[in-house]
Amino acid sequence: MTAAGADAAQTAGAEGKKPAQTEKQDAGKERKGNYDARTPNARTTYARSAKVEGKETAAAKKFRDSLGTQGVVEVDPNTGTPAQVTKLNGFLTGKSAKKATDVALGYVKAHPEIFKLSDADLGTLKLRKDYVDDLGTHHIFWTQVVDGVEVFGNGLKANVTKTGQLISVMGSPVSGLTTAAQSRSAAATPKVSAEGARSAAVKDVGGSAKSATASTSGVSTKFSNGDTAKQVWFHTADGLRKGWLTYTNSGGTKIYSHVVDAQTGATLYRKDLVSEGNGDALVQDNYPGAPKGGTQRVENLIYNKWLPKNAKTLLDGTSVAAWADVNDDNQPNGGETVKVPGTKTGAEYKLTPFQSASSFCSTSYICTWDPAKPDSWKTNMNQDVTNAFYLASNFHDWLAKAPISFTPAAGSFDAAGGDPVLLNALDGAATAANGGPDANHIDNANMSTPPDGTPPTMQMYLWHQPGATDEQDPWVPSSGANDASILYHEYTHGLSNRLVVDATGNSTLNSIQAGSMGEAWSDFYAMDYLVSHGLEKDTTAAGEVLEGKYVSHGELFRTQAIDCRVKAVSPNCVQPDGSKGGYTYADFPTIGGTPEVHASGEVWAQTLWDLRERFGRSYAMSIITRAMELSPNDPTMLDMRNAVVQADLVASGGKNADVIWTVFANRGMGWYAGVVDGGDAFPAEDFHKPPTGATTTLSGTVTDKDTGAPVAGALVYVGGHSSGYAGDYAGTTDAAGNYSISNVAPGTYPKIVVSAPGYELIVQSVKVSAGSKANFAPRRNWAAASGGGSVVDFNGPDFSSFNCGPGGAIDNAQGTGWGSTTGDDNGTPTNQMVPKYVDIKLPASVTVSAFNVDPSNTCGDPGSASTGQYRIQTSADGTTWATAAEGTFDATNRGKYNLVTPTGNTTGVQYVRFWMLSPQVPDFQNNCPAGAFGGCQFTDMTELQVFGTK
């Protein structure tokens, strides 16, 4: 259920009863995280945005102001064209009888001051998709194509109501594309072949490429194992280049999409596609032993048109192909397939209980294998695969119905469209030497979701680690394929990853905010199904609706129930600090102890359940699903709040806007709530609905805290209303350090953000009133590469090719960092740390006043890879070193800067050495190397800042 490892592999909490989302969720295979050369880190994005904002024309400003206080204009810092243009309290255009495509393109043509597209640019647009949802809204996608080659990610998206009103335009189209492509054509002839790009992509994630034959048609190549490679244009702030868009299955869960530079083979883009999570068959609708839906019944798989009439030996159906992938090679080998159930005398396959396998086994929670007998899963293999096939096929049909309406046009999974779900039940059940599952194939589930047209892979694992006691592993010995809430959770990752996409159809659920909503949507849609079918109880009482109730034997699988209202009184609605009631936005980083997508997402899941209770299931599911289709790329929870408001605007004309704002404000996602961007794990909450009345201008100066000199080119923006893009609620300082942001509603904004090259990022609360000013004084960060700092030495391996080399420690951005190994350079897991260091040369000799350190995991590694014990040394010449500070970080220090006060050796410093002395693996000596903690192999840190005076 998570891209980083085990979905809900929680261990027993301090109470010894309720499972808590703790470090074991980091267990599992090491994997590389997402990367995009268009936005390599937040600092680079801010700097580009500042330049774009500084070049805003009077006409563009007039356009932006014309949309009013609830207008949204966000300009992409790479293209200088809009990433999003919309309004929350109205439409961009009036009703029209024109075609939806003409309405959208007409608006773009009418506003060259903001879209900046010439006739030649408009000529590059190719209609990719125009589908209509159940509200009659057209969702339109144009790609940009030159010389038969598509631009990756950029293009146009537009949403138009059934009466011809334009809701929004998005996509960051490339201006001047034809000219740029012509100038690059000679130099852009690929030097790297499709086969070479496939190999480079596989190598990038540490996988292994199976031998496969290739067939090429035009600019696309398909390999016999299902991998693909297609030529694309890739646009960054540095210009246009030719690349290969690849889809590769590199073994196990290493399923990725890449863009590989066609000249150099370098990685331009990396997307982890895995989200962690003939007749009569005996199936259950909920889980074995459930009061409702817990008894096997007969379901005909052919009658329901899930299997063709001639199906015999493989559950290969209209939307799902299922088998037992016990060796985890993602292929249906001999002994792994299941005969289509049903005989002349009756239905197949009956479940055989293993009731002595654990103290958790009971008539209410029936165990389906015995971890003490690793190959006992074979007994119920046919039942397991068949039940998985039934659940996935059934959920496919349910999601296709109104009001969700996840149809083939919207991107659903169908054999007819070439992308049925490849369902690997009992995944890795025979990967250990004794015939059972190894540590990477237990207590988990996941689903990868490539773009429409490529089959996704769902992997369902066994639960309860062989050799572990019930206290050590508090899960019912069973399979994810027998828990409808788990399988439906995984399937919903496909829904969200197919609806929240860019113009070319790639999922944009990348950041921790977006990823948390991905997990929350999965819980929400799964439990909505079970409740709406009467399989799980949901009365007016709070704390009844529990995800994963089966494997957790009735205890909490998440930290709270999904139906916990704010201040609800229920044993299942108690916060970690002991206070009662459901979560609000500020709880985001603390729900599971540290920011993590499953735990942090609980606040979003509970908010969606609030909408379900306020509006009833049908209307709530409609506007929640439609909001995904209206979403900007990589949304924050505040972006998705806005999208829900817009969905209601389409559905009801906005008559429910006040109630919707009330629901979100009650959860701390009110008008003044703030986030720095999608990667902000520490949002600021607010409980106000949108203000009315006159707006004002926020202005002030940005100066160096130590020298008082003006800081030019700094981006100043209102977090939560801007995500670091140029546009509304943002401004750039001039040569005198002055900035101005117009059309701001009065009130207190908790996150006004200031970013300038070579300076610390400042986030401050500002009360805005008529004529108010806010001045900022950031400190010079002498270590920052953007201010002249440089890496001059380090030990350990260089992971720069994975975009997490030592330079990541001083790029002034928390979205990237320095990843290294714990032991030897190969990452061989042992219980002995080989200390790693990086030496930073400062641009001048300074007297150090403080250090700022974010010790967090990076490079796609799990939380246990964060730096634990550390030491900071200083030097005047880079040869003689002395200790300036040392200590130990723990999980509470992750995801944020931690101010470290030096204890000495602070004068005349021009070199700083940072030592990683241990990872944050609990009980490192005993849990490594045999344990599944990623920190046994890798140790990372995200950022080092150095403050002081010349």
Side-chain angles (χ1 to χ4, degrees):
M1 290 183 179
T2 174
D7 177 55
Q10 305 133 312
T11 55
E15 296 174 294
K17 215 176 162 186
K18 293 183 181 178
Q21 289 169 318
T22 62
E23 192 65 59
K24 193 165 182 257
Q25 66 194 4
D26 292 330
K29 300 176 181 177
E30 293 301 328
R31 51 194 308 109
K32 295 302 174 187
N34 299 327
Y35 173 73
D36 192 335
R38 295 171 297 183
T39 53
N41 58 60
R43 288 292 172 160
T44 303
T45 301
Y46 296 156
R48 293 171 181 170
S49 293
K51 291 180 180 178
V52 170
E53 182 70 32
K55 295 178 180 178
E56 184 182 42
T57 65
K61 183 180 184 302
K62 181 179 179 181
F63 171 85
R64 175 160 54 86
D65 290 345
S66 72
L67 299 183
T69 306
Q70 294 194 38
V72 178
V73 179
E74 292 194 335
V75 179
D76 189 290
N78 292 319
T79 63
T81 60
Q84 180 178 202
V85 175
T86 190
K87 291 175 68 175
L88 305 185
N89 58 350
F91 299 108
L92 296 175
T93 63
K95 294 181 180 180
S96 174
K98 295 180 179 179
K99 290 174 57 178
T101 51
D102 291 341
V103 169
L105 290 178
Y107 187 79
V108 171
K109 292 176 183 177
H111 293 287
E113 73 275 20
I114 192 71
F115 289 100
K116 301 179 182 178
L117 298 182
S118 66
D119 288 342
D121 294 325
L122 292 169
T124 67
L125 296 176
K126 178 181 179 182
L127 184 65
R128 182 178 72 84
K129 179 187 289 190
D130 176 4
Y131 75 90
V132 180
D133 65 29
D134 65 338
L135 296 179
T137 301
H138 285 258
H139 301 285
I140 313 167
F141 301 76
W142 289 272
T143 57
Q144 289 188 274
V145 180
V146 178
D147 298 331
V149 178
E150 182 180 283
V151 178
F152 175 81
N154 299 92
L156 271 183
K157 288 173 57 180
N159 301 291
V160 181
T161 70
K162 63 182 179 182
T163 56
Q165 296 153 302
L166 182 61
I167 305 165
S168 58
V169 181
M170 308 175 189
S172 305
V174 179
S175 175
L177 176 62
T178 302
T179 302
Q182 290 173 347
S183 66
R184 292 284 298 166
S185 291
T189 301
K191 296 180 180 178
V192 177
S193 65
E195 291 84 354
R198 174 180 180 251
S199 297
V202 171
K203 181 181 178 181
D204 177 61
V205 296
S208 57
K210 291 186 177 181
S211 177
T213 57
S215 59
T216 300
S217 176
V219 297
S220 299
T221 298
K222 187 170 184 178
F223 298 88
S224 56
N225 74 326
D227 290 355
T228 60
K230 182 177 76 170
Q231 287 186 41
V232 293
W233 293 105
F234 192 87
H235 183 272
T236 71
D238 299 322
L240 199 66
R241 64 185 83 182
K242 188 70 72 67
W244 289 99
L245 170 62
T246 67
Y247 168 80
T248 55
N249 188 326
S250 307
T253 61
K254 292 179 179 177
I255 303 172
Y256 285 81
S257 180
H258 283 77
V259 176
V260 175
D261 193 302
Q263 307 303 309
T264 66
T267 296
L268 298 175
Y269 172 90
R270 180 195 309 119
K271 171 69 174 176
D272 186 346
L273 298 177
V274 176
S275 296
E276 316 260 334
N278 80 33
D280 289 340
L282 291 172
V283 299
Q284 73 257 336
D285 294 296
N286 198 352
Y287 59 83
K292 295 184 178 180
T295 302
Q296 284 187 299
R297 63 174 182 82
V298 178
E299 185 73 67
N300 191 282
L301 306 183
I302 294 176
Y303 176 81
N304 285 303
K305 298 182 179 180
W306 295 329
L307 284 174
K309 291 182 179 179
N310 60 352
K312 297 292 183 183
T313 59
L314 181 64
L315 296 180
D316 190 356
T318 53
S319 65
V320 179
W323 65 91
D325 190 29
V326 299
N327 66 353
D328 190 25
D329 69 349
N330 300 314
Q331 300 294 323
N333 302 303
E336 293 184 329
T337 61
V338 172
K339 179 184 76 69
V340 174
T343 68
K344 292 181 179 179
T345 58
E348 299 174 299
Y349 298 98
K350 187 175 181 180
L351 175 68
T352 300
F354 284 80
Q355 294 302 79
S356 62
S358 163
S359 64
F360 303 136
C361 305
S362 68
T363 55
S364 298
Y365 306 103
I366 295 172
C367 297
T368 65
W369 76 299
D370 187 347
K373 301 173 182 178
D375 62 354
S376 61
W377 52 264
K378 295 179 180 178
T379 301
N380 285 315
M381 187 188 85
N382 289 342
Q383 178 274 332
D384 193 282
V385 176
T386 302
N387 201 69
F389 178 86
Y390 159 69
L391 290 175
S393 299
N394 175 63
F395 204 53
H396 166 276
D397 293 359
W398 171 252
L399 294 178
K401 298 176 182 177
I404 298 171
S405 303
F406 185 44
T407 61
S412 64
F413 308 108
D414 302 273
D419 59 354
V421 173
L422 306 181
L423 206 166
N424 299 350
L426 294 169
D427 193 80
T431 48
N434 61 1
D438 63 21
N440 291 319
H441 296 87
I442 198 75
D443 297 347
N444 200 358
N446 64 62
M447 180 158 168
S448 68
T449 312
D452 196 7
T454 301
T457 299
M458 180 187 292
Q459 297 179 319
M460 307 304 294
Y461 296 171
L462 288 167
W463 289 72
H464 201 94
Q465 177 75 47
T469 66
D470 287 349
E471 289 72 27
Q472 293 169 328
D473 192 334
W475 308 116
V476 169
S478 185
S479 161
N482 276 307
D483 189 327
S485 73
I486 289 178
L487 190 142
Y488 290 162
H489 171 106
E490 295 307 330
Y491 200 110
T492 305
H493 279 302
L495 170 75
S496 59
N497 279 298
R498 285 278 171 94
L499 294 187
V500 185
V501 295
D502 62 24
T504 56
N506 300 287
S507 169
T508 65
L509 295 177
N510 301 323
S511 66
I512 189 168
Q513 291 253 335
S516 295
M517 287 188 289
E519 297 300 336
W521 281 316
S522 286
D523 281 357
F524 176 72
Y525 281 80
M527 299 317 297
D528 165 74
Y529 176 92
L530 295 175
V531 167
S532 63
H533 285 77
L535 299 172
E536 290 295 330
K537 184 174 68 173
D538 180 30
T539 68
T540 56
E544 296 177 317
V545 185
L546 306 179
E547 162 74 16
K549 184 167 69 173
Y550 172 41
V551 294
S552 60
H553 48 91
E555 297 290 330
L556 283 170
F557 185 82
R558 300 293 184 223
T559 68
Q560 287 189 1
I562 198 173
D563 61 330
C564 289
R565 306 178 195 96
V566 176
K567 298 182 180 179
V569 178
S570 166
N572 289 334
C573 302
V574 178
Q575 297 192 21
D577 64 1
S579 58
K580 294 179 174 60
Y583 296 115
T584 58
Y585 202 22
D587 293 319
F588 186 98
T590 60
I591 293 172
T594 58
E596 188 275 331
V597 289
H598 300 88
S600 298
E602 289 189 52
V603 63
W604 185 251
Q606 291 179 353
T607 305
L608 297 182
W609 206 264
D610 287 348
L611 291 173
R612 191 180 187 276
E613 290 186 341
R614 292 296 294 266
F615 291 108
R617 177 191 179 269
S618 181
Y619 191 73
M621 298 307 293
S622 176
I623 61 174
I624 289 168
T625 308
R626 303 289 76 80
M628 291 190 208
E629 296 166 317
L630 299 175
S631 166
N633 289 349
D634 200 22
T636 67
M637 289 185 180
L638 302 181
D639 290 326
M640 286 309 306
R641 171 205 65 193
N642 294 346
V644 173
V645 171
Q646 287 187 298
D648 173 70
L649 179 66
V650 175
S652 75
K655 69 179 183 180
N656 300 306
D658 186 70
V659 176
I660 293 172
W661 275 105
T662 298
V663 169
F664 281 103
N666 185 53
R667 291 286 182 173
M669 294 180 235
W671 176 262
Y672 299 101
V675 287
V676 175
D677 53 30
D680 189 349
F682 297 86
E685 65 186 12
D686 172 74
F687 301 94
H688 293 84
K689 291 186 288 187
T692 58
T695 62
T696 187
T697 296
L698 174 64
S699 61
T701 60
V702 179
T703 56
D704 186 299
K705 184 175 182 178
D706 296 314
T707 67
V711 177
L715 179 69
V716 183
Y717 68 92
V718 182
H721 292 268
S722 175
S723 296
Y725 285 138
D728 54 294
Y729 281 74
T732 300
T733 57
D734 58 19
N738 298 315
Y739 74 92
S740 178
I741 305 173
S742 62
N743 208 27
V744 179
T748 300
Y749 294 90
K751 289 204 172 188
I752 304 294
V753 185
V754 181
S755 172
Y759 284 83
E760 65 176 326
L761 186 78
I762 283 187
V763 182
Q764 288 182 199
S765 175
V766 174
K767 184 177 181 180
V768 177
S769 58
S772 63
K773 293 184 178 294
N775 301 324
F776 303 94
R779 291 173 293 186
R780 175 74 184 269
N781 173 17
W782 294 96
S786 59
S790 60
V791 174
V792 293
D793 194 18
F794 67 97
N795 70 338
D798 185 357
F799 288 142
S800 295
S801 61
F802 295 116
N803 303 300
C804 44
I810 58 168
D811 62 1
N812 230 359
Q814 290 174 278
T816 49
W818 171 37
S820 191
T821 53
T822 300
D824 60 28
D825 286 3
N826 295 321
T828 305
T830 69
N831 59 357
Q832 296 294 321
M833 176 77 188
V834 177
K836 303 301 190 300
Y837 69 86
V838 60
D839 291 351
I840 311 301
K841 183 180 181 181
L842 311 182
S845 177
V846 301
T847 297
V848 176
S849 60
F851 304 101
N852 237 359
V853 180
D854 183 345
S856 303
N857 50 304
T858 189
C859 209
D861 297 330
S864 61
S866 303
T867 293
Q869 188 178 0
Y870 70 93
R871 180 180 300 123
I872 302 175
Q873 294 178 309
T874 58
S875 173
D877 57 8
T879 301
T880 304
W881 296 90
T883 298
E886 55 188 353
T888 302
F889 296 117
D890 59 28
T892 63
N893 299 112
R894 298 179 200 164
K896 60 184 179 182
Y897 284 113
N898 301 272
L899 195 65
V900 176
T901 303
T903 57
N905 303 305
T906 59
T907 59
V909 174
Q910 191 158 13
Y911 294 85
V912 175
R913 171 176 287 177
F914 184 86
W915 286 93
M916 299 189 295
L917 302 179
S918 75
Q920 289 184 18
V921 176
D923 194 7
F924 177 73
Q925 289 297 317
N926 294 315
N927 279 333
C928 297
F933 291 99
C936 298
Q937 291 182 274
F938 298 98
T939 302
D940 310 329
M941 60 89 65
T942 293
E943 197 68 23
L944 170 67
Q945 296 183 331
V946 178
F947 304 132
T949 54
K950 230 175 183 182

